[in-house]
Amino acid sequence: MRIMSFKPGHDGAIAALDATAAELIYSYEAEKDSFPRYSTITPITVLDAAGRLDALPDVIAVGGWENIGRSVAAGYYGIAQGSDVVGEKTIFGRKVHFYSSTHERSHLWGSYGMSPFPVGMPCYALIWEGDLGDFYEIDERLQVVHLGKVMARPGSKYAFLYALADPKFTLPKLQLRYEDAGKLMALCAYGQTGEADRDEQALMDFLLPRDIVLYSLGKEDLCDSPYYNIGVTHQKFTNLAKRFSDAIFDSFHTFAKKNLTKGYPLLISGGCGLNCEWNRRWLETNLFSDVFIPPCSNDTGSAIGTAVDAMRHFTGKAKIKWNVYSGQPFTLDEFDRTGLEVHPLDYGQVASALLDDKVIGWVQGNCEIGPRALGNRSILAAPFSKATHERLNRIKNREGFRPIAPVCLEQDVALHFDLARPSPYMLFFQKVLDSRLEAVTHVDGTARAQTVSRDQNKRLFQLLTAFKAKSGVGVLCNTSLNFNGAGFINRASDLLAYARATGLDGFVINDAFYLLKGPPVA
């Protein structure tokens, strides 16, 4: 049985499952191939995804959604019986099964299906995102109990705070920028811990209990706030950001400490699952036997979650085999090789170039699922210099306060970072122990490391090993290969245009290493 699943709305994606083998075939995200970030599904995405299947799927699944107050398919909310839709559709003259379940369920079953815990092991689940902020329990028979709503719309409140302080934010009610939550996470590192002052407490008391943010509150409604257009790097605002972030986490932690007492593992999904500081703190609570966050914890994973839910409905199985490199294959289209030196891939040669402070695009195989570059659509650089950090943010056209993440050999991670476990999906903050790693050390002394083993990503492992042989350190800077405001670059002509426009010194595509002749753009 083949299942093809669609996620409508922003972060659009199409996933295919082989339900007989309980295995993910692919997950194609609409933003990949340099489409705008958070794109909805396009005809191109549908055609590309359909082309990977050799026959019509047996099941078409559509994740529930809500658009301007109108439900799409099964809608946004609900986990109880009746929160799915089962029927038939005729596709190109052939009847297929149709399945839809709510967006809430897509997060729940996506995190459960992708988790490494054995079948029959009960789990707790946390969904926190733009709308939902809830805990659940999934028992050994796959029965789900809603344990309670802690806070409505934690993700929207988090993004709204950044917008309030940013003079460049001028959108009206009903609109926030999806990227602002990640920026606020970076700014929290500049804030000071401690008790909230009067202004901070007043704003938190106003925002955090509100059930509705987007539909009832606009930035201009708070024009009298001392934080209105104060500037996102102002110390008064970064202090607020840190304490606001802590207050959100503390609300959920207090609930969990009281109500989640069985020691089960915790599954985390929703956009807030990309907050690496919160993820680290969940590990450190010791409330759970383990914590799992999928690399596509935000809505990019919802098509997978709906497919898992459909598989559970038709087969009774809810665990899948999957690989993080299940996205679109790279398109090696025609591009102008004028001004390029082309060499067969030699890991030692690339390592030497990196050690010589060259910045290199790195492309291998299929792209990653989820928003983090994990070594198949990456920009790599040596990790030793603050100047490299600054150059990478210029290449990325990003604010200077944004950190650059490291990628590290898994067997060496404890030498460089306060991390006692693998972190293959770059989802936890940890303290940097190695003072040489200036390019990847954030202002508060932390980093968001990805660990790499030979089995996980053989080619990136080989490059890190070669770099370690030359530098003594199996660590590199790793940031995503994308035009600003777009998904991963996924074709050779775009990569060359990007390299020439931004000043990359070269790039690797599978087995070939391309170096640009002439001085790099500063």
Side-chain angles (χ1 to χ4, degrees):
M1 174 181 279
R2 295 286 182 92
I3 300 170
M4 191 173 187
S5 174
F6 298 81
K7 193 276 175 182
H10 67 77
D11 289 310
I14 303 171
L17 283 187
D18 180 341
T20 304
E23 185 168 6
L24 179 68
I25 300 170
Y26 61 71
S27 179
Y28 280 13
E29 297 162 22
E31 70 173 38
K32 303 292 169 69
D33 199 10
S34 300
F35 287 99
R37 290 292 311 277
Y38 319 107
S39 288
T40 57
I41 295 168
T42 66
I44 295 297
T45 318
V46 174
L47 289 171
D48 285 351
R52 283 285 303 277
L53 298 180
D54 56 8
L56 281 174
D58 304 287
V59 180
I60 294 290
V62 177
W65 195 242
E66 191 172 278
N67 186 23
I68 318 178
R70 181 185 302 164
S71 289
V72 176
Y76 204 96
Y77 304 100
I79 60 167
Q81 186 174 0
S83 58
D84 58 1
V85 177
V86 183
E88 287 187 336
K89 295 284 184 183
T90 301
I91 307 293
F92 298 120
R94 179 188 155 192
K95 285 191 179 298
V96 299
H97 296 287
F98 174 80
Y99 185 83
S100 178
S101 58
T102 62
H103 183 69
E104 187 172 358
R105 286 170 57 153
S106 77
H107 281 309
L108 194 72
W109 292 112
S111 61
Y112 182 86
M114 297 177 75
S115 69
F117 312 123
V119 173
M121 175 179 282
C123 296
Y124 291 124
L126 167 61
I127 302 176
W128 53 351
E129 46 129 63
D131 280 57
L132 296 160
D134 301 67
F135 280 107
Y136 312 78
E137 182 179 325
I138 305 172
D139 71 14
E140 64 277 2
R141 296 175 294 109
L142 302 183
Q143 300 301 304
V144 181
V145 176
H146 181 241
L147 299 178
K149 178 177 289 295
V150 180
M151 180 186 297
R153 297 171 171 82
S156 292
K157 291 167 184 173
Y158 202 75
F160 181 87
L161 192 71
Y162 186 95
L164 178 65
D166 184 8
K168 298 177 182 177
F169 183 92
T170 58
L171 297 176
K173 286 182 183 179
L174 305 182
Q175 295 185 53
L176 289 172
R177 296 177 303 204
Y178 299 117
E179 66 269 24
D180 284 355
K183 295 179 182 181
L184 191 72
M185 181 174 70
L187 284 168
C188 286
Y190 292 82
Q192 299 169 355
T193 56
E195 294 293 322
D197 65 24
R198 184 177 61 184
D199 288 339
E200 292 164 351
Q201 194 63 54
L203 187 59
M204 287 191 284
D205 288 345
F206 177 75
L207 280 180
L208 293 181
R210 294 181 72 91
D211 285 343
I212 299 176
V213 177
L214 285 178
Y215 294 101
S216 68
L217 190 68
K219 173 179 173 175
E220 296 303 318
D221 295 324
L222 294 180
C223 61
D224 293 330
S225 166
Y227 301 101
Y228 177 81
N229 285 344
I230 192 174
V232 295
T233 59
H234 194 289
Q235 187 66 56
K236 185 174 174 66
F237 178 70
T238 58
N239 288 345
L240 169 67
K242 171 63 175 168
R243 294 163 192 178
F244 189 87
S245 183
D246 287 347
I248 291 177
F249 181 87
D250 290 344
S251 295
F252 284 84
H253 178 237
T254 298
F255 182 94
K257 191 173 181 180
K258 180 179 179 182
N259 297 285
L260 282 64
T261 58
K262 299 175 184 176
Y264 297 156
L266 177 67
L267 312 172
I268 297 176
S269 57
C272 295
L274 298 174
N275 188 309
C276 299
E277 170 63 14
W278 289 344
N279 292 341
R280 178 191 64 80
R281 292 181 67 180
W282 281 123
L283 277 177
E284 293 177 351
T285 63
N286 294 318
L287 293 174
F288 312 104
S289 60
D290 203 349
V291 176
F292 172 74
I293 310 104
C296 47
S297 64
N298 64 345
D299 282 6
T300 59
S302 287
I304 297 174
T306 300
V308 171
D309 200 6
M311 183 178 76
R312 182 202 55 79
H313 173 83
F314 289 106
T315 72
K317 297 182 292 187
K319 291 281 185 181
I320 60 170
K321 300 184 286 277
W322 60 280
N323 188 297
V324 74
Y325 307 108
S326 296
Q328 290 95 318
F330 191 76
T331 300
L332 193 59
D333 59 352
E334 289 297 321
F335 63 98
D336 181 6
R337 288 169 169 76
T338 303
L340 294 177
E341 297 177 10
V342 186
H343 307 272
L345 174 60
D346 178 280
Y347 295 99
Q349 182 185 15
V350 178
S352 294
L354 291 165
L355 193 55
D356 196 31
D357 288 328
K358 287 183 166 48
V359 177
I360 304 296
W362 181 261
V363 168
Q364 298 294 331
N366 289 8
C367 68
E368 302 85 334
I369 59 175
R372 299 273 160 81
L374 301 172
N376 277 19
R377 300 292 183 274
S378 291
I379 298 173
L380 304 177
F384 303 120
S385 167
K386 280 288 184 186
T388 299
H389 171 271
E390 294 165 2
R391 183 183 173 195
L392 287 169
N393 272 339
R394 287 197 303 272
I395 286 171
K396 300 274 292 178
N397 192 23
R398 302 194 320 178
E399 299 87 351
F401 62 77
R402 304 280 291 277
I404 297 295
V407 60
C408 177
L409 288 169
E410 185 181 299
Q411 71 263 24
D412 290 351
V413 66
L415 300 175
H416 307 292
F417 306 98
D418 181 19
L419 182 64
R421 58 186 281 158
S423 182
Y425 311 126
M426 201 189 287
L427 288 169
F428 298 96
F429 279 150
Q430 57 283 143
K431 288 292 183 182
V432 180
L433 304 178
D434 189 338
S435 61
R436 294 171 293 178
L437 305 181
E438 293 187 5
V440 296
T441 303
H442 200 25
V443 66
D444 61 350
T446 66
R448 184 183 72 197
Q450 177 199 1
T451 59
V452 173
S453 67
R454 181 185 296 274
D455 290 341
Q456 172 195 343
N457 190 320
K458 182 178 179 181
R459 292 195 167 196
L460 186 56
F461 176 87
Q462 289 177 282
L463 179 61
L464 285 164
T465 301
F467 188 78
K468 179 182 177 181
K470 294 179 180 294
S471 70
V473 175
V475 180
L476 289 168
C477 297
N478 176 21
T479 188
S480 55
L481 181 61
N482 62 290
F483 293 95
N484 185 259
F488 297 157
I489 291 171
N490 210 49
R491 62 187 60 237
S493 56
D494 285 347
L495 177 51
L496 178 61
Y498 181 85
R500 287 175 170 161
T502 63
L504 291 186
D505 297 294
F507 51 87
V508 171
I509 301 176
N510 296 327
D511 293 314
F513 180 27
Y514 301 83
L515 279 168
L516 276 71
K517 299 176 184 177
V521 177

